[in-house]
């Protein structure tokens, strides 16, 4: 389209572009117009038809040759703005063209998506990034297990749980991610090790609840704070044993969380097994961070842990000692485990593996078990009660 008249050109604003208008552009990194990228803020292009001047602050600074092409970012006052304060006169020596409104709107969608994706990164990975980008950095996932969102957590590390990262993909794009490693960067300058007071000063008060359809879920907790940031739920977990500093960050697309059934998701046998292995990996990632060797998975200990979780879920109690009076150590022996030292963590009600791990890390006795240097083996067992609430058990020992 050719324009010769001076004046201001129509441009789409963020209020004119709805989220659903951008859905088909998810994953798009650039918008192309006649073989060239349509840059953020660009409204058209200018071709020099006859030599003309480039202006800056009412002074001609350069003569432009015929055939030169420039992106245009503003139009008014008899000049085309071509960026960085430079202008070119709007006269017969130049030809001006604009992309379609659809192209301009698409460019705005991509621009908004890029801005949103940069709110939080983990080792350079952001919501919306491709699986290919993650795997170029980490290789293929070490483990893939179901999550409460109906997708999968894929666990990555760069050797021995270094830079541990959990990623959930939707159509091969990052839709959720978690880490407890010092690889978090945010626009507001927060990350692992940031004090809770600083997070709240920069983000404000955390959400008190999340509403899903007709239900409202209270999420107030001193041990973490959740914020809605540009369409993502961002949760900062705080370590009370390190002056309430951030020790984990979870980011989830709002649509993913809002579509999750209820508070716990759909509980299945696959999800139960998934939580067990997620808790195992989270424990080892925490040990790595504290300079401790990883624990080995122990099938017998896992069987003992699952048996105890099932017993608590079915019989509606919560205790290290079961209704037959058996202690954790009695139950380990009953499963044929001879140990030199042993310990147990239990919990219930936390709505997924990440939250129960963080809860244990923020409780002194549980934390001591997770970080006990003499333990070498770990088994994890999970069960759900009739209300879909999970019960969790960890059995640690060294032979």
């Amino acid at each position: 389209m050719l324009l010769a008249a001076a004046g201001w050109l129509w441009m789409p604003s963020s209020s004119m572009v709805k989220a659903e208008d951008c859905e088909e552009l998810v994953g798009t990194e650039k918008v192309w117009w006649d073989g060239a990228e349509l840059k953020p803020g660009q409204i058209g292009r200018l071709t020099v038809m006859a030599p003309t001047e480039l202006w800056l602050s009412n002074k001609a600074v350069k003569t432009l040759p015929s055939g030169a092409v420039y992106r245009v970012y503003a139009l008014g006052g008899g000049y085309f703005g071509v960026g960085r304060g430079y202008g070119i006169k709007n006269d017969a020596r130049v030809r001006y063209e604009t992309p379609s409104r659809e192209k301009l709107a698409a460019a705005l969608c991509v621009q908004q998506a890029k801005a949103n994706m940069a709110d939080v990164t983990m080792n350079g990975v952001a919501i919306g990034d491709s699986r290919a980008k993650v795997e170029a950095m980490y290789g293929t996932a070490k483990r893939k297990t179901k999550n409460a969102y109906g997708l999968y957590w894929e666990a990555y590390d760069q050797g021995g749980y270094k830079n541990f990262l959990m990623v959930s993909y939707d159509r091969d794009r990052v839709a959720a991610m978690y880490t407890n490693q010092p690889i978090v960067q945010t626009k507001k300058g927060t990350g692992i090790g940031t004090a809770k007071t600083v997070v709240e000063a920069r983000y404000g008060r955390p959400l008190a609840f999340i509403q899903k359809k007709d239900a409202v879920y209270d999420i107030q907790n001193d041990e973490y704070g959740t914020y809605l940031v540009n369409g993502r739920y961002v949760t900062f977990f705080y370590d009370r044993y390190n002056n309430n500093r951030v020790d984990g960050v979870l980011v989830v697309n709002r649509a993913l969380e809002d579509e999750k059934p209820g508070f716990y998701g759909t509980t299945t046998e696959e999800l139960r097994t998934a939580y067990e292995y997620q808790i195992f990996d989270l424990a080892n990632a925490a040990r790595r961070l504290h300079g401790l060797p990883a624990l080995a998975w122990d099938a017998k200990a896992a069987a003992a842990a699952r048996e105890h979780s099932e017993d608590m879920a079915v019989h509606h109690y919560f205790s290290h000692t079961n209704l037959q009076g058996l202690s954790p150590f009695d139950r380990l022996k009953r499963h044929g485990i001879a140990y030199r030292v042993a310990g147990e963590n239990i919990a219930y009600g936390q709505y997924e593996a990440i939250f129960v791990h963080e809860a244990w890390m923020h409780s002194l006795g549980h934390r001591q078990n997770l970080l006990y240097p003499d333990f070498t083996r770990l088994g994890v067992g999970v069960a759900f009660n009739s209300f879909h609430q999970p019960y969790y058990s960890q059995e640690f020992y060294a032979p």
Side-chain angles (χ1 to χ4, degrees):
M1 178 166 113
L2 301 180
L3 290 182
W8 293 102
L9 180 68
W10 172 89
M11 282 189 64
S13 67
S14 58
S15 63
M16 299 173 67
V17 180
K18 299 178 181 178
E20 55 265 29
D21 297 329
C22 297
E23 286 181 357
E24 64 183 29
L25 294 166
V26 170
T28 301
E29 296 183 357
K30 295 180 180 180
V31 175
W32 298 94
W33 175 34
D34 292 344
E37 182 186 356
L38 189 60
K39 293 283 189 178
Q42 182 183 350
I43 61 172
R45 67 171 172 243
L46 177 152
T47 303
V48 177
M49 307 303 293
T52 189
E53 293 76 27
L54 181 67
W55 294 79
L56 179 66
S57 300
N58 297 318
K59 182 183 294 186
V61 296
K62 183 180 180 181
T63 299
L64 305 176
S66 298
V69 178
Y70 289 85
R71 290 184 173 90
V72 175
Y73 297 93
L75 171 59
Y79 285 84
F80 296 101
V82 294
R84 299 184 180 180
Y86 290 95
I88 299 173
K89 282 188 176 180
N90 180 5
D91 58 28
R93 292 175 292 176
V94 298
R95 183 180 68 190
Y96 178 59
E97 301 167 277
T98 63
S100 66
R101 292 191 177 197
E102 290 75 18
K103 287 282 187 184
L104 288 169
L108 184 58
C109 285
V110 171
Q111 182 181 358
Q112 290 174 336
K114 285 183 177 179
N116 291 345
M117 286 190 291
D119 284 314
V120 182
T121 63
M122 298 180 182
N123 209 12
V125 175
I127 296 293
D129 280 349
S130 67
R131 175 189 292 274
K133 177 179 177 178
V134 177
E135 295 189 349
M137 184 183 306
Y138 279 96
T140 56
K142 301 297 194 302
R143 197 186 308 279
K144 180 178 180 179
T145 49
K146 197 76 172 179
N147 62 30
Y149 305 110
L151 302 174
Y152 292 87
W153 279 122
E154 300 194 31
Y156 297 90
D157 65 56
Q158 294 175 320
Y161 290 94
K162 178 183 178 182
N163 294 335
F164 176 75
L165 177 66
M166 293 172 66
V167 176
S168 188
Y169 297 101
D170 186 4
R171 292 174 292 175
D172 281 333
R173 292 281 165 178
V174 177
M177 56 186 184
Y178 165 86
T179 190
N180 55 8
Q181 307 291 299
I183 57 174
V184 178
Q185 291 184 317
T186 72
K187 275 186 176 180
K188 295 182 181 290
T190 57
I192 301 297
T194 301
K196 180 179 181 180
T197 53
V198 173
V199 173
E200 292 184 346
R202 295 177 183 176
Y203 285 89
R205 298 184 64 178
L207 297 175
F209 62 87
I210 290 178
Q211 182 167 356
K212 297 186 180 186
K213 297 182 179 178
D214 297 328
V216 175
Y217 297 92
D218 186 344
I219 60 169
Q220 296 178 92
N221 195 300
D222 288 339
E223 295 177 3
Y224 59 83
T226 299
Y227 298 87
L228 185 57
V229 181
N230 289 323
R232 279 86 171 164
Y233 287 114
V234 180
T235 300
F236 296 96
F237 297 92
Y238 303 113
D239 185 353
R240 67 172 64 184
Y241 300 105
N242 185 24
N243 300 312
N244 276 323
R245 295 183 178 276
V246 175
D247 71 346
V249 179
L250 171 67
V251 186
V252 182
N253 264 339
R254 179 178 185 174
L256 201 60
E257 179 64 47
D258 289 351
E259 291 167 7
K260 184 177 74 176
F263 204 54
Y264 299 106
T266 302
T267 54
T268 63
E269 182 66 23
E270 183 182 13
L271 188 63
R272 167 161 92 159
T273 301
Y275 283 175
E276 291 168 351
Y277 283 103
Q278 289 163 20
I279 290 167
F280 173 75
D281 286 334
L282 288 161
N284 278 331
R287 287 175 68 88
R288 160 85 192 201
L289 200 59
H290 288 82
L292 298 169
L295 302 169
W297 178 264
D298 190 279
K300 289 183 178 180
R306 180 177 277 202
E307 179 184 82
H308 189 53
S309 291
E310 288 177 345
D311 194 42
M312 291 189 292
V314 170
H315 295 103
H316 310 293
Y317 74 94
F318 182 68
S319 173
H320 288 286
T321 302
N322 69 15
L323 299 181
Q324 289 73 47
L326 297 177
S327 72
F329 313 108
D330 296 327
R331 297 194 305 274
L332 287 177
K333 291 175 183 176
R334 192 169 70 175
H335 281 267
I337 296 173
Y339 58 84
R340 175 173 53 85
V341 60
E344 178 181 76
N345 284 344
I346 60 174
Y348 86 99
Q350 293 83 2
Y351 58 87
E352 66 159 291
I354 290 169
F355 281 81
V356 73
H357 168 77
E358 290 285 354
W360 278 329
M361 285 297 292
H362 305 153
S363 170
L364 186 57
H366 302 98
R367 179 191 185 94
Q368 288 172 337
N369 277 339
L370 281 160
L371 302 180
Y372 192 63
D374 289 351
F375 288 147
T376 59
R377 307 188 71 81
L378 171 62
V380 183
V382 176
F384 301 106
N385 67 13
S386 57
F387 300 103
H388 306 290
Q389 294 171 313
Y391 284 71
Y392 307 94
S393 299
Q394 288 179 309
E395 308 296 341
F396 304 86
Y397 78 97

